[in-house]
Amino acid sequence: MNARSAWLSPNGQTREDTRVAQTGVTPATGIRGRSGIFPGSPDGDFRITGFALTGTSGGMTATVGVGRAVVQAEDDRGAYPVAVTEPIRLTFGDGQEYARKDLVVLRIYDDQYDSSGRTEAVVEIVKGTVSPTDPAPPATPAAALPLYTVTVPANSSAGNGGITWASASTVTDLRASVVAVGGILPTDNDSRTGAYPGQYRDTNNALQRWNGTAWVAYPKDIGGIAPNGAIGNGGYTGQHRDGPNGLLQRWNGSTWVSYQQVPTWQNYTPVWSASSGVAPVVGNGALNANYAKIGTVVHLRLRLAIGTTTNIAAQDAAALWSFSLPAPPALGWMTDIVLNVVGFNSDGFKFFQGTCQLATTADGVGVATRFTTTLGTAAAAWNKANPFTWVSGSVLSISGTYQSAS
């Protein structure tokens, strides 16, 4: 029969019908459910307390506590709901020449399918293989849910120290949770993929959503900031997280970087203009500038060195110079802000201190212009002959900080 139904057939419902048609737990595929343990603790302090393992100090025995779980078998067998109502005592075999890792599982025996001669659910030990280095645990049997791996030391026995239960490396908790369809899956170390886009899980105190290929911090679309330690690699470019030392970080597609990055000086090519006459030409001189921008704060450095072929002589004697800025200044009162200017006269090795004003041209370009001697004087504006005659070797320097328009 291709279509199976529960609580429908007038001729009776088989156990297989009931298992295959179960609709209670998170799906793994269209027909299979997810194996796992139902979460919960008496006081709500822990995600999972079912099937808790407690070792007996100095011995080879341990107790697995009560709990409820679902064990998914092959598609045609369906899922087996299991309830352990009393603690189960396990005894591990003595250690051998080298250490080994045993696997504790919740296992289904169903003679109808496995010809085991048994029809029951059991908590049992699957013995591992010894190794002189790092032993690997055995494979999980069919129709079984892994609960723990337990390291059995070499030559251990009840009369020879037993299993070192107090060591954090002795027991590895493999318990995975399962919830009702549509429920948020609580998990700490579950590496399984999601079952469908839009599934949610709570892991490491962070809510995540399965997007079809990966678990990503939720909410993604409104820029949720992942808590510190919640995620390793980012799920998408532009994701933010609370990083180490309380610093906000942004995922740039390959690594986490500080959201407000430390600014670096960037070069830009300024345009040297004159208010009248021929346009200035640097020739074999030099015109260099760089800036650092933090939000709307701009730090500027500009240097013009006059060369032998700089067209100073051809320029209009009354022309006022201007140099383009890396970003237009803010409007309004910002036009009253000035930058520092130093002129170096190579003919006499003299320095002249001055200022320049910020302005915005008709086409929206920010410029430094209206050069003059230090404030508080009525000195004429600087040009090719003022405050000295600019010749090869002369240098004009501009520096300062201003607020940009954006």
Side-chain angles (χ1 to χ4, degrees):
M1 182 182 298
N2 295 328
R4 311 288 289 271
S5 176
W7 319 114
L8 176 64
S9 174
N11 299 320
Q13 177 176 318
T14 68
R15 292 173 294 173
E16 191 175 81
D17 290 336
T18 305
R19 293 193 303 267
V20 171
Q22 67 85 21
T23 59
V25 300
T26 302
T29 66
I31 189 64
R32 295 171 64 89
R34 181 187 292 265
S35 293
I37 298 170
F38 287 93
S41 59
D43 298 318
D45 296 334
F46 303 98
R47 298 180 188 275
I48 300 176
T49 55
F51 298 89
L53 184 142
T54 305
T56 302
S57 178
M60 305 294 290
T61 60
T63 300
V64 175
V66 299
R68 292 189 302 151
V70 173
V71 179
Q72 175 68 50
E74 292 83 358
D75 291 356
D76 60 348
R77 292 175 59 177
Y80 295 80
V82 179
V84 173
T85 57
E86 295 182 5
I88 298 173
R89 188 177 180 84
L90 302 174
T91 300
F92 292 81
D94 291 346
Q96 299 162 267
E97 180 182 7
Y98 301 111
R100 71 174 190 271
K101 286 185 179 178
D102 291 352
L103 182 66
V104 179
V105 299
L106 173 62
R107 186 173 183 179
I108 301 297
Y109 286 95
D110 192 337
D111 184 62
Q112 181 180 350
Y113 303 95
D114 56 29
S115 301
S116 61
R118 304 168 63 180
T119 304
E120 58 182 334
V122 299
V123 175
E124 66 179 19
I125 300 168
V126 182
K127 189 174 181 179
T129 302
V130 299
S131 172
T133 55
D134 185 21
T140 303
L145 176 66
L147 302 177
Y148 304 92
T149 62
V150 177
T151 299
V152 179
N155 302 316
S156 58
S157 65
N160 189 28
I163 295 174
T164 52
W165 297 106
S167 173
S169 61
T170 295
V171 177
T172 300
D173 192 344
L174 304 177
R175 292 175 299 171
S177 60
V178 67
V179 292
V181 174
I184 296 175
L185 188 69
T187 179
D188 288 315
N189 57 2
D190 192 343
S191 60
R192 290 180 291 185
T193 61
Y196 53 89
Q199 182 183 5
Y200 292 88
R201 75 175 185 181
D202 183 274
T203 181
N204 297 320
N205 298 318
L207 187 62
Q208 294 181 331
R209 178 184 181 276
W210 180 254
N211 68 2
T213 58
W215 291 104
V216 296
Y218 179 83
K220 169 183 175 180
D221 293 336
I222 61 173
I225 298 175
N228 184 23
I231 56 176
N233 290 339
Y236 55 93
T237 300
Q239 183 179 13
H240 291 77
R241 74 174 184 181
D242 182 22
N245 302 318
L247 298 177
L248 185 63
Q249 294 182 321
R250 179 183 182 276
W251 181 253
N252 68 5
S254 58
T255 188
W256 291 103
V257 296
S258 296
Y259 174 67
Q260 186 60 277
Q261 300 186 50
V262 177
T264 57
W265 289 96
Q266 303 180 63
N267 295 328
Y268 84 99
T269 302
V271 176
W272 180 18
S273 303
S275 61
S276 60
V278 300
V281 176
V282 177
N284 63 357
L287 178 56
N288 307 103
N290 59 14
Y291 69 101
K293 191 173 187 294
I294 312 171
T296 59
V297 178
V298 181
H299 302 283
L300 172 68
R301 300 185 299 200
L302 184 149
R303 179 180 183 271
L304 168 66
I306 304 299
T308 58
T309 62
T310 303
N311 69 339
I312 290 292
Q315 294 184 33
D316 188 341
L320 302 180
W321 291 341
S322 63
F323 297 87
S324 62
L325 299 172
L331 300 176
W333 63 271
M334 276 300 298
T335 58
D336 299 328
I337 301 300
V338 296
L339 298 178
N340 297 318
V341 179
V342 173
F344 171 69
N345 182 4
S346 58
D347 184 10
F349 296 94
K350 296 179 181 179
F351 289 90
F352 295 79
Q353 184 178 8
T355 59
C356 67
Q357 188 176 355
L358 302 182
T360 302
T361 64
D363 54 359
V365 176
V367 293
T369 187
R370 302 187 184 94
F371 294 81
T372 187
T373 304
T374 306
L375 296 175
T377 69
W382 290 11
N383 53 37
K384 74 174 189 177
N386 188 49
F388 54 85
T389 299
W390 296 79
V391 296
S392 178
S394 300
V395 176
L396 174 69
S397 296
I398 304 173
S399 63
T401 299
Y402 70 94
Q403 178 184 346
S404 65
S406 60

